[in-house]
Amino acid sequence: MSALHYFDCHASYGPRPNLHPHERWSLAQLLDDLDGAGIGQALVTHAQALLSDPLAANRRLLRETRRLRRRLAPAWVVYPPAADEFPAPAELVRMLRG
């Protein structure tokens, strides 16, 4: 029988306002926490995507996790185009595929 493989489906990292001085938020700390919990892979978002410029934070997520794709699956935070923070759906799909 093979060992179980755990996948965290809701991981996030990145600075947020009002962090406690001992709160763990960096990418390195996330990886350490996953290792400590025996979790092999994770779907991950960048905390800044919910707090500031979501497109910039999504691009940062892709850059920062590029070398970790076997371990981390980056997930964009996406808003409806009505708020004018994101492009029309066809353009957004093109960006996501890129």
Side-chain angles (χ1 to χ4, degrees):
M1 187 160 124
S2 64
L4 289 175
H5 179 79
Y6 293 100
F7 185 93
D8 184 330
C9 65
H10 189 66
S12 181
Y13 76 97
R16 294 173 297 284
N18 305 317
L19 284 171
H20 184 277
H22 298 293
E23 188 171 347
R24 299 168 62 81
W25 59 267
S26 73
L27 183 56
Q29 290 168 331
L30 170 63
L31 292 168
D32 287 344
D33 291 344
L34 293 173
D35 289 341
I39 298 171
Q41 293 177 288
L43 182 68
V44 64
T45 59
H46 198 289
Q48 290 294 303
L50 296 172
L51 303 169
S52 61
D53 181 351
L55 280 176
N58 289 334
R59 289 184 183 113
R60 180 177 176 183
L61 170 72
L62 293 178
R63 277 193 320 274
E64 293 177 349
T65 61
R66 186 173 318 268
R67 63 180 177 77
L68 301 165
R69 291 292 160 80
R70 290 182 178 252
R71 186 83 195 271
L72 301 176
W76 274 26
V77 172
V78 179
Y79 298 138
D84 289 330
E85 293 186 66
F86 276 83
E91 175 62 15
L92 180 60
V93 168
R94 188 193 65 74
M95 291 171 67
L96 289 168
R97 288 185 175 154

